[in-house]
Amino acid sequence: MLKSNNFTFLKSLDYDFFQKSKNDVVIRKFEFEFEFENTCNLECIMCSGELSSSIRKNIEHLEPFENKYNANFLEQLKSYWKNIISCPLKIV
């Protein structure tokens, strides 16, 4: 993005956008560049085993992904949520 001067979707700009002042050091955005799991019983034609456990098992004939996060991973992040402005997850 930098080499092509495409600054519109540059991830680092988000930090400037969500920062309230120069001294603001609070986490205001969570962004995960991965899926937490791929459990899905659909086999949509435009999808893959990366996002659908059914495709991975029935079409790609591959072993299930190992879940690298324990059941309380998101619970561990809750203490940060009070300041979050942008997050791709629904916070309950």
Side-chain angles (χ1 to χ4, degrees):
M1 289 181 159
L2 287 174
K3 287 181 182 179
S4 65
N5 293 325
N6 180 8
F7 304 115
T8 307
F9 298 107
L10 194 63
K11 299 281 185 192
S12 59
L13 293 178
D14 288 350
Y15 297 97
D16 295 338
F17 179 78
F18 290 111
Q19 187 179 19
K20 293 188 177 202
S21 71
K22 291 201 180 270
N23 298 325
D24 185 7
V25 293
V26 175
I27 296 173
R28 302 223 179 261
K29 179 178 181 175
F30 279 160
E31 187 166 331
F32 301 95
E33 296 292 329
F34 56 85
E35 299 296 326
F36 286 99
E37 64 177 354
N38 73 336
T39 304
C40 178
N41 65 348
L42 301 176
E43 296 177 359
C44 302
I45 194 165
M46 73 291 212
C47 201
S48 72
E50 296 277 322
L51 301 174
S52 168
S53 55
S54 295
I55 290 175
R56 187 159 175 89
K57 176 183 174 187
N58 301 327
I59 297 173
E60 296 173 352
H61 305 291
L62 296 171
E63 294 293 318
F65 282 125
E66 175 188 348
N67 189 351
K68 296 181 178 163
Y69 302 93
N70 62 27
N72 110 18
F73 173 71
L74 291 177
E75 190 69 31
Q76 294 172 33
L77 300 177
K78 276 193 174 180
S79 63
Y80 299 101
W81 287 356
K82 65 180 182 222
N83 298 310
I84 298 301
I85 296 170
S86 174
C87 180
L89 298 174
K90 183 176 181 183
I91 300 172
V92 180

